[in-house]
Amino acid sequence: MLFTDDTTAALRAAVRLVNTAEEPDTLASVADLDAFVRAEPYTGRIDRDAAELEALRGLRPRLRAMLLAPRDAMVTHVNAVLAEVSLTPRLTRHDDTDWHLHAVADDRPLSERILVETAMALIDVIRADETGRIGVCADAGCQAIALDLSRNRSKRYCSTTCANRNAVAAYRARRAGG
Ligand SMILES: [Zn+2]
Ligand SMILES: [Zn+2]
């Protein structure tokens, strides 16, 4: 296991949120927001309203910059988050998760909790010197983020769609080359 479950979950959720900004934008309505929060293990306050939608949409560029930053620049991003948010860390256990840290209160806005959870997860990434696990998708036409948590660092694409498209293209190129 590369990271703890809560760190992995926070990284996956942050990447998924950032990647909703790829065309066509899949976080464009309150219905999209509802689908997003259903698919991710968020607890605490969820408003499912236009203000929350705008806050999450507005958070995407910042999360993207944080996630893709080189290690030292990532530290600057993380420290900025830790300095601007009033942290109230406590260990908690809910649903079927084991003890893990919630760094801000459950009634804080979802966008703030995602921002802080991402920063906390990136602390683990930085300390383990694993920032190379987060990068832009290897597909030539895709700008989405690919998160590689595989043992052998083999995941270069953001999605199975991009991985399959490139596998097919590579196969055709091999056949064309004889
Ligand atoms: Zn939790
Ligand atoms: Zn991709």
Side-chain angles (χ1 to χ4, degrees):
M1 181 172 69
L2 185 58
F3 300 116
T4 57
D5 288 347
D6 54 327
T7 292
T8 297
L11 291 175
R12 286 213 168 103
V15 166
R16 185 157 167 264
L17 175 57
V18 168
N19 286 350
T20 62
E22 295 304 300
E23 289 298 323
D25 193 317
T26 49
L27 190 63
S29 66
V30 173
D32 289 343
L33 170 63
D34 188 56
F36 179 78
V37 296
R38 274 177 207 281
E40 294 296 337
Y42 295 120
T43 57
R45 173 181 162 192
I46 300 175
D47 297 340
R48 290 186 173 79
D49 62 9
E52 188 169 72
L53 172 67
E54 279 317 302
L56 289 198
R57 288 175 56 83
L59 182 60
R60 296 183 303 190
R62 184 174 184 185
L63 284 187
R64 183 182 175 90
M66 276 176 79
L67 288 161
L68 292 177
R71 190 165 182 240
D72 289 4
M74 189 184 281
V75 169
T76 305
H77 279 282
V78 168
N79 280 343
V81 174
L82 297 178
E84 77 186 49
V85 175
S86 134
L87 298 172
T88 52
R90 73 201 182 285
L91 284 164
T92 183
R93 188 157 67 173
H94 54 78
D95 305 305
D96 51 5
T97 64
D98 198 2
W99 291 113
H100 61 283
L101 195 69
H102 280 193
V104 289
D106 290 345
D107 61 354
R108 299 300 301 161
L110 181 60
S111 58
E112 180 182 303
R113 283 181 288 129
I114 293 174
L115 176 64
V116 173
E117 274 181 18
T118 306
M120 300 297 291
L122 290 178
I123 290 172
D124 284 0
V125 175
I126 291 163
R127 292 172 70 203
D129 198 6
E130 293 282 6
T131 54
R133 298 280 183 169
I134 310 166
V136 175
C137 179
D139 181 88
C142 181
Q143 289 300 306
I145 293 180
L147 176 64
D148 185 359
L149 300 175
S150 65
R151 188 181 295 270
N152 57 354
R153 295 172 186 267
S154 58
K155 188 172 178 293
R156 298 161 54 230
Y157 298 102
C158 70
S159 62
T160 51
T161 308
C162 277
N164 290 341
R165 184 189 310 124
N166 284 274
V168 169
Y171 173 74
R172 288 200 178 124
R174 277 197 304 274
R175 280 189 43 143

